[in-house]
Amino acid sequence: MADSPAQFRGQARLPRFAAPLRYDLRIRPDLAACNFSGAAAVAVAVSAPTRFLVLNAAELDVDRASIRFQDLAPTDVTQFEEDEILVIGFDRELPVGEGVLTMDFTGTLNDQMRGFYRSKYVCNGESRNMAVTQFEAADARRCFPCWDDPAFKAKFKLTLEVPSDLVALSNMPVVKETVSGPIKTVYYEESPLMSTYLVAIVVGLFDYIESSTSEGTKVRVYTQVGKTNQGKFALDVAVKSLDLYKDYFATPYPLPKLDMIAIPDFAAGAMENYGLVTYRETALLYDELLSSASNKQQVAITVAHELAHQWFGNLVTMEWWTHLWLNEGFASWVSYLAVDSLFPEWNNWTQFLDETTSGLRLDALAESHPIEVEINHASEIDAIFDSISYDKGASVIRMLQSYLGAERFQKALASYIKKYAYSNAKTEDLWAVLEKESGEPVKDLMTTWTKQQGYPVIYAKLNGHDLELEQAQFLSDGSSGTGMWIVPITSCCGSYDAQKKFLLKGKTDKIHIKEFTASQSSDGDKNIWIKLNIDQTGFYRVKYDDELAAGLVNAIKAKKLSLMDKIGIVEDSYALSVARKQTLTSLLRLLNAYHDESDYTVLSHVTSVCLSISKISVDSTPDLNKDIKQLLINLLQPAAIKLGWDPKDGESHLDVMLRSLLLIALVRLGHNETINEGVRRFHIFLEDRKTYLLPPDTRKAAYLAVMRTVSTSNRSGYDALLKIYREAAEPQEKSRVLGSLSSSPDKDIVLEALNFMFTDEVRNQDSYYILGGISLEGREVAWTWLKTNWDHVLKTWKSSSLISDFINYIVSPFTSEEKAAEVSEFFACRIKPSFQRALNQSLERVRISARWIESIRSEPSLGQAVQELLQGTA
Ligand code: BES
Ligand code: ZN
């Protein structure tokens, strides 16, 4: 065993005695036959004598006879499929030093959206293939044999042999092109040191537009032929972001060029390949007339995110996937910084609380995981591209930045980038730099947040002149975990000028009211309010005692609180209610304090809470459901009436977003007037697709309204939507239709929409739109459908994280223990690592809902409170 190839099996990482320095790769894709052939020459540094070279390869045919290390032919070549490794054995020890490993190989251009794959598009009415790579996390090994581990950085020199009429792109600029009949050979410059997961190739028919940064870096956006107009917005955001990041990280953009390209079949939203960033079409293309305000934001955030990676991720790379959050959390956080500076009117940092909210919601599950996760096999990596790495990651960075101060933080980041450029870093490397630059206990503080799952709720109560604080781990199932954190507490009393900040290091602490600098509060002041976690910069929740909670309700009504604090209060209160730490009754009373709110950022959280209450009440208190819905409609309607359906000249971006948000919420709450008006406008739109009565921003609301009225006996609305889908050229429009098709209350229509997903009219990448739209009435039929079609679903979506969406969307809406047991039984013999976590989390959500329902049923005064609130006497 010790001397056999099998000794390298079952290891999380490749052995380190040989490492690649330079890859010379020649690759020839055949777009018609959907395969490729390649030749690799890899300069390898052998650092300890060995008889073996061990590298990654998967789903590749490596031509054994072609393998040489210098002049030496191997005696033994073994490919372990399960471990995705290729072990090349020689009859003698390879000497320490540098040598070149050469080999030829072939593979398939697959249809799985990973590795080297094909994507389909139509050009001049003709269906064509393009060849595209997607290597993150561990799929470069599906294109060429390599040391497919982020820490094995090497230089890459690519040569592509492609049909002469096509555009062939890679990370670096072209140095030379030679044409020989139908095939051209394209030679690219050698790259700087980089990780394998960032190598990229795209071959197809494209047009481009170009601009350049203040430093002269050429930036291009490639689109389908004739569509470059839709790339302009992203190009502008890209150029500005590059300039901004260059200053922020105090390091120039590391490569000679940057290309960004839209790919019709794409598993994620976008991928930060070094110098050649790939996007879903919806995440890159923006059209003044055809896109919505929220499409525009999505494009800006996605571009800013991927370009942040060019520094954070590509130049400095995580040492191993355990530190994935360094890549993703940082890129997410920095993207808000960039977009905020480009579009200050979007109030982007307040919108950032959407990220914090999803992080907090997921991390309240027992089935969550720490930010830093142990990774033992490539198949485990995909599952950690989740809200913990992204949203909790970004949120704890914001928390730290706010604790250290923006300037100190930026300086330290810049020196971290300098120190680790062209190399790799671990989480503690970042803490060490920040600690050195700031003199603060960064490592101790942050370790409690990244190595430990979950987060605390701070119980706050007033005891005489003392504000007493106590931390306990917050879990949505109502139990208390054992976690303890170092919590950066911020608080203010009566005014944002009277603040107090400190680190809560133990379980409890207290603040004397007098400690609030400039405190204006005095005994008996009825208007005193105390808000902890100012502007929600901390990744924790707060549970106030009754007196403090009442003070905050008054402060909301008196408009004393910031938008972020208003969001924090409603989100915490909702979470505490789900966890049965607070009644639904009191949550409804709190919501009432938001009745004249008119800000998009706040109302987006309020509506999300409203929709969740409306759903749970269907199961918990069916007889109250109608009244509760009416109550929520009453809450949202004033703002909706003010905005109406029609856009107004010169109105703000956020008001445009708000209109769409409120109309959709009112449709979902079953508000008849809104549904009727949506249907009316839809009919006008059917006659005239250019009508000003239904611009892209309100279209989704109208589509959903139509679907609320559709049934098997009255299906013309569904058919009309399908027609719109088929005729729409724009993916963003197609996604709006897909997102409504399954929202009918009629089970047979839901089933029809689900089956539509399996036709070749819907790209596999788009399944989640249909899944995300399933009506509450359709959940049972969706579950039966999933069981019936599980084999097909697994086969089609197995190799991307999209498989988890099927489980999340279909299982999570259930609310009973029995259902959880049934689901769990179905999957008992079907479980796979790629969706294990999604399943466990979905089941946990079902059980949490089941308990929440029980507790709502036992709330004695709920019915009466609903009546009072409806009559405005509360
Ligand atoms: N590196 C990711 C893309 C990725 C995701 C690769 C999952 C492999 C598995 C990229 O930087 C990313 O984070 N994309 C986001 C978009 C962003 C705006 C949050 C995405 O795809 O959703
Ligand atoms: Zn990312």
Short mmCIF file of all heavy atoms in Angstrom, two decimals, residues 664-697:
data_model
loop_
_atom_site.label_atom_id
_atom_site.label_comp_id
_atom_site.label_asym_id
_atom_site.label_seq_id
_atom_site.Cartn_x
_atom_site.Cartn_y
_atom_site.Cartn_z
N ILE A 664 -47.13 43.50 -5.98
CA ILE A 664 -46.96 42.04 -5.89
C ILE A 664 -47.47 41.53 -4.54
O ILE A 664 -48.19 40.54 -4.46
CB ILE A 664 -45.47 41.65 -6.10
CG1 ILE A 664 -45.10 41.88 -7.57
CG2 ILE A 664 -45.21 40.21 -5.68
CD1 ILE A 664 -43.64 41.63 -7.89
N ALA A 665 -47.13 42.26 -3.47
CA ALA A 665 -47.58 41.82 -2.14
C ALA A 665 -49.10 41.84 -2.05
O ALA A 665 -49.72 40.90 -1.53
CB ALA A 665 -46.96 42.70 -1.07
N LEU A 666 -49.73 42.88 -2.57
CA LEU A 666 -51.19 42.96 -2.49
C LEU A 666 -51.84 41.84 -3.30
O LEU A 666 -52.85 41.26 -2.88
CB LEU A 666 -51.68 44.33 -2.97
CG LEU A 666 -51.38 45.47 -1.97
CD1 LEU A 666 -51.70 46.84 -2.58
CD2 LEU A 666 -52.16 45.28 -0.66
N VAL A 667 -51.26 41.52 -4.45
CA VAL A 667 -51.80 40.39 -5.22
C VAL A 667 -51.66 39.10 -4.40
O VAL A 667 -52.61 38.33 -4.27
CB VAL A 667 -51.04 40.24 -6.57
CG1 VAL A 667 -51.39 38.92 -7.24
CG2 VAL A 667 -51.35 41.41 -7.49
N ARG A 668 -50.51 38.92 -3.82
CA ARG A 668 -50.30 37.69 -3.04
C ARG A 668 -51.23 37.61 -1.85
O ARG A 668 -51.62 36.53 -1.41
CB ARG A 668 -48.85 37.59 -2.56
CG ARG A 668 -47.87 37.46 -3.71
CD ARG A 668 -46.67 36.59 -3.31
NE ARG A 668 -46.09 35.99 -4.51
CZ ARG A 668 -44.89 36.31 -5.00
NH1 ARG A 668 -44.13 37.20 -4.38
NH2 ARG A 668 -44.44 35.73 -6.09
N LEU A 669 -51.57 38.78 -1.28
CA LEU A 669 -52.48 38.77 -0.13
C LEU A 669 -53.93 38.64 -0.58
O LEU A 669 -54.85 38.66 0.23
CB LEU A 669 -52.30 40.05 0.69
CG LEU A 669 -50.98 40.16 1.48
CD1 LEU A 669 -50.80 41.56 2.04
CD2 LEU A 669 -50.95 39.13 2.61
N GLY A 670 -54.13 38.55 -1.89
CA GLY A 670 -55.48 38.33 -2.40
C GLY A 670 -56.33 39.59 -2.46
O GLY A 670 -57.56 39.52 -2.39
N HIS A 671 -55.70 40.74 -2.59
CA HIS A 671 -56.46 42.00 -2.63
C HIS A 671 -57.16 42.14 -3.99
O HIS A 671 -56.52 42.34 -5.03
CB HIS A 671 -55.49 43.17 -2.41
CG HIS A 671 -56.18 44.49 -2.38
ND1 HIS A 671 -55.86 45.52 -3.22
CD2 HIS A 671 -57.19 44.93 -1.61
CE1 HIS A 671 -56.63 46.57 -2.97
NE2 HIS A 671 -57.44 46.23 -1.99
N ASN A 672 -58.50 42.06 -3.95
CA ASN A 672 -59.27 41.97 -5.20
C ASN A 672 -59.06 43.14 -6.15
O ASN A 672 -58.89 42.95 -7.34
CB ASN A 672 -60.76 41.81 -4.90
CG ASN A 672 -61.02 40.38 -4.47
OD1 ASN A 672 -60.32 39.46 -4.94
ND2 ASN A 672 -61.96 40.18 -3.57
N GLU A 673 -59.09 44.34 -5.60
CA GLU A 673 -58.94 45.50 -6.49
C GLU A 673 -57.63 45.45 -7.26
O GLU A 673 -57.58 45.75 -8.45
CB GLU A 673 -58.93 46.79 -5.67
CG GLU A 673 -60.29 47.39 -5.45
CD GLU A 673 -60.21 48.47 -4.37
OE1 GLU A 673 -59.40 49.40 -4.54
OE2 GLU A 673 -60.93 48.33 -3.37
N THR A 674 -56.57 45.10 -6.55
CA THR A 674 -55.26 45.06 -7.21
C THR A 674 -55.24 43.94 -8.25
O THR A 674 -54.74 44.12 -9.36
CB THR A 674 -54.14 44.83 -6.17
OG1 THR A 674 -54.28 45.82 -5.15
CG2 THR A 674 -52.77 44.95 -6.80
N ILE A 675 -55.84 42.81 -7.90
CA ILE A 675 -55.87 41.70 -8.87
C ILE A 675 -56.67 42.11 -10.11
O ILE A 675 -56.21 41.92 -11.24
CB ILE A 675 -56.47 40.44 -8.21
CG1 ILE A 675 -55.50 39.93 -7.13
CG2 ILE A 675 -56.74 39.36 -9.25
CD1 ILE A 675 -55.97 38.74 -6.34
N ASN A 676 -57.82 42.72 -9.89
CA ASN A 676 -58.64 43.12 -11.04
C ASN A 676 -57.93 44.12 -11.93
O ASN A 676 -57.97 44.04 -13.15
CB ASN A 676 -59.98 43.70 -10.57
CG ASN A 676 -60.81 42.63 -9.89
OD1 ASN A 676 -60.56 41.44 -10.07
ND2 ASN A 676 -61.78 43.05 -9.07
N GLU A 677 -57.27 45.07 -11.29
CA GLU A 677 -56.57 46.08 -12.07
C GLU A 677 -55.40 45.45 -12.84
O GLU A 677 -55.14 45.81 -13.99
CB GLU A 677 -56.07 47.21 -11.15
CG GLU A 677 -55.36 48.36 -11.83
CD GLU A 677 -56.21 49.10 -12.88
OE1 GLU A 677 -57.44 48.88 -12.91
OE2 GLU A 677 -55.62 49.87 -13.66
N GLY A 678 -54.73 44.50 -12.22
CA GLY A 678 -53.63 43.79 -12.89
C GLY A 678 -54.15 43.05 -14.11
O GLY A 678 -53.56 43.10 -15.20
N VAL A 679 -55.29 42.38 -13.94
CA VAL A 679 -55.86 41.62 -15.05
C VAL A 679 -56.28 42.57 -16.18
O VAL A 679 -56.04 42.32 -17.36
CB VAL A 679 -57.08 40.80 -14.56
CG1 VAL A 679 -57.82 40.17 -15.72
CG2 VAL A 679 -56.61 39.72 -13.57
N ARG A 680 -56.86 43.70 -15.78
CA ARG A 680 -57.30 44.68 -16.79
C ARG A 680 -56.11 45.16 -17.63
O ARG A 680 -56.14 45.18 -18.86
CB ARG A 680 -57.94 45.88 -16.09
CG ARG A 680 -58.58 46.88 -17.05
CD ARG A 680 -59.16 48.09 -16.31
NE ARG A 680 -58.16 49.06 -15.88
CZ ARG A 680 -57.69 50.04 -16.65
NH1 ARG A 680 -58.12 50.17 -17.88
NH2 ARG A 680 -56.78 50.88 -16.18
N ARG A 681 -55.04 45.50 -16.94
CA ARG A 681 -53.87 46.00 -17.66
C ARG A 681 -53.23 44.90 -18.51
O ARG A 681 -52.70 45.15 -19.58
CB ARG A 681 -52.85 46.59 -16.67
CG ARG A 681 -53.33 47.93 -16.13
CD ARG A 681 -52.43 48.50 -15.06
NE ARG A 681 -53.05 49.69 -14.50
CZ ARG A 681 -52.59 50.94 -14.69
NH1 ARG A 681 -51.48 51.15 -15.37
NH2 ARG A 681 -53.23 51.97 -14.17
N PHE A 682 -53.29 43.69 -18.00
CA PHE A 682 -52.73 42.57 -18.75
C PHE A 682 -53.43 42.42 -20.10
O PHE A 682 -52.78 42.20 -21.12
CB PHE A 682 -52.88 41.29 -17.92
CG PHE A 682 -52.34 40.05 -18.59
CD1 PHE A 682 -50.96 39.85 -18.67
CD2 PHE A 682 -53.19 39.10 -19.14
CE1 PHE A 682 -50.44 38.70 -19.28
CE2 PHE A 682 -52.68 37.96 -19.74
CZ PHE A 682 -51.30 37.76 -19.82
N HIS A 683 -54.75 42.58 -20.09
CA HIS A 683 -55.48 42.43 -21.36
C HIS A 683 -55.11 43.52 -22.35
O HIS A 683 -55.00 43.25 -23.55
CB HIS A 683 -56.99 42.37 -21.10
CG HIS A 683 -57.39 41.04 -20.53
ND1 HIS A 683 -57.26 39.87 -21.24
CD2 HIS A 683 -57.85 40.68 -19.31
CE1 HIS A 683 -57.65 38.84 -20.50
NE2 HIS A 683 -58.00 39.32 -19.30
N ILE A 684 -54.90 44.70 -21.83
CA ILE A 684 -54.46 45.78 -22.73
C ILE A 684 -53.07 45.47 -23.28
O ILE A 684 -52.79 45.64 -24.46
CB ILE A 684 -54.48 47.13 -21.99
CG1 ILE A 684 -55.91 47.42 -21.54
CG2 ILE A 684 -53.91 48.25 -22.85
CD1 ILE A 684 -56.05 48.59 -20.59
N PHE A 685 -52.25 44.94 -22.41
CA PHE A 685 -50.88 44.59 -22.80
C PHE A 685 -50.88 43.49 -23.88
O PHE A 685 -50.07 43.51 -24.81
CB PHE A 685 -50.13 44.11 -21.54
CG PHE A 685 -48.74 43.59 -21.78
CD1 PHE A 685 -47.71 44.45 -22.17
CD2 PHE A 685 -48.45 42.24 -21.59
CE1 PHE A 685 -46.42 43.96 -22.37
CE2 PHE A 685 -47.15 41.76 -21.79
CZ PHE A 685 -46.15 42.62 -22.18
N LEU A 686 -51.84 42.56 -23.77
CA LEU A 686 -51.90 41.49 -24.77
C LEU A 686 -52.17 42.05 -26.16
O LEU A 686 -51.66 41.56 -27.16
CB LEU A 686 -53.02 40.50 -24.40
CG LEU A 686 -52.70 39.48 -23.31
CD1 LEU A 686 -53.88 38.54 -23.11
CD2 LEU A 686 -51.45 38.68 -23.67
N GLU A 687 -52.96 43.11 -26.18
CA GLU A 687 -53.28 43.74 -27.46
C GLU A 687 -52.12 44.59 -27.96
O GLU A 687 -51.89 44.72 -29.15
CB GLU A 687 -54.53 44.64 -27.32
CG GLU A 687 -55.79 43.89 -26.94
CD GLU A 687 -56.14 42.83 -27.98
OE1 GLU A 687 -56.09 43.13 -29.17
OE2 GLU A 687 -56.44 41.67 -27.57
N ASP A 688 -51.42 45.19 -27.01
CA ASP A 688 -50.38 46.15 -27.39
C ASP A 688 -49.19 46.01 -26.43
O ASP A 688 -49.19 46.55 -25.33
CB ASP A 688 -50.97 47.57 -27.32
CG ASP A 688 -49.88 48.64 -27.43
OD1 ASP A 688 -48.76 48.30 -27.87
OD2 ASP A 688 -50.15 49.80 -27.07
N ARG A 689 -48.19 45.26 -26.88
CA ARG A 689 -47.04 44.96 -26.00
C ARG A 689 -46.25 46.21 -25.61
O ARG A 689 -45.39 46.16 -24.75
CB ARG A 689 -46.10 43.97 -26.68
CG ARG A 689 -46.70 42.62 -26.94
CD ARG A 689 -46.94 41.84 -25.66
NE ARG A 689 -47.81 40.73 -25.89
CZ ARG A 689 -47.44 39.58 -26.42
NH1 ARG A 689 -46.19 39.40 -26.75
NH2 ARG A 689 -48.31 38.62 -26.62
N LYS A 690 -46.52 47.30 -26.27
CA LYS A 690 -45.77 48.51 -25.96
C LYS A 690 -46.58 49.47 -25.08
O LYS A 690 -46.15 50.58 -24.81
CB LYS A 690 -45.36 49.22 -27.25
CG LYS A 690 -44.36 48.42 -28.07
CD LYS A 690 -43.56 49.34 -28.99
CE LYS A 690 -42.29 48.69 -29.51
NZ LYS A 690 -42.51 47.52 -30.38
N THR A 691 -47.71 49.02 -24.61
CA THR A 691 -48.57 49.93 -23.84
C THR A 691 -47.84 50.49 -22.61
O THR A 691 -47.12 49.77 -21.93
CB THR A 691 -49.87 49.23 -23.38
OG1 THR A 691 -50.59 50.16 -22.56
CG2 THR A 691 -49.59 47.99 -22.55
N TYR A 692 -48.07 51.77 -22.37
CA TYR A 692 -47.43 52.40 -21.20
C TYR A 692 -48.13 51.96 -19.92
O TYR A 692 -47.70 52.25 -18.82
CB TYR A 692 -47.44 53.93 -21.35
CG TYR A 692 -48.82 54.52 -21.34
CD1 TYR A 692 -49.41 54.92 -20.13
CD2 TYR A 692 -49.56 54.65 -22.51
CE1 TYR A 692 -50.70 55.43 -20.10
CE2 TYR A 692 -50.84 55.15 -22.50
CZ TYR A 692 -51.41 55.54 -21.29
OH TYR A 692 -52.69 56.02 -21.26
N LEU A 693 -49.25 51.23 -20.07
CA LEU A 693 -49.98 50.80 -18.88
C LEU A 693 -49.32 49.62 -18.16
O LEU A 693 -49.68 49.31 -17.02
CB LEU A 693 -51.42 50.41 -19.26
CG LEU A 693 -52.31 51.58 -19.66
CD1 LEU A 693 -53.67 51.08 -20.14
CD2 LEU A 693 -52.48 52.55 -18.49
N LEU A 694 -48.40 48.97 -18.83
CA LEU A 694 -47.75 47.84 -18.16
C LEU A 694 -46.25 47.78 -18.48
O LEU A 694 -45.78 46.91 -19.22
CB LEU A 694 -48.43 46.52 -18.54
CG LEU A 694 -48.29 45.39 -17.52
CD1 LEU A 694 -48.77 45.81 -16.15
CD2 LEU A 694 -49.04 44.14 -17.98
N PRO A 695 -45.49 48.70 -17.90
CA PRO A 695 -44.04 48.70 -18.11
C PRO A 695 -43.40 47.53 -17.35
O PRO A 695 -44.05 46.90 -16.51
CB PRO A 695 -43.60 50.04 -17.52
CG PRO A 695 -44.64 50.38 -16.51
CD PRO A 695 -45.93 49.77 -17.00
N PRO A 696 -42.14 47.21 -17.64
CA PRO A 696 -41.50 46.04 -17.02
C PRO A 696 -41.61 46.02 -15.50
O PRO A 696 -41.71 44.94 -14.91
CB PRO A 696 -40.03 46.18 -17.44
CG PRO A 696 -40.06 46.99 -18.69
CD PRO A 696 -41.24 47.89 -18.60
N ASP A 697 -41.62 47.19 -14.87
CA ASP A 697 -41.63 47.21 -13.40
C ASP A 697 -42.91 46.68 -12.78
O ASP A 697 -42.89 46.14 -11.67
CB ASP A 697 -41.36 48.63 -12.90
CG ASP A 697 -39.91 49.01 -13.13
OD1 ASP A 697 -39.04 48.41 -12.51
OD2 ASP A 697 -39.66 49.89 -13.98
#
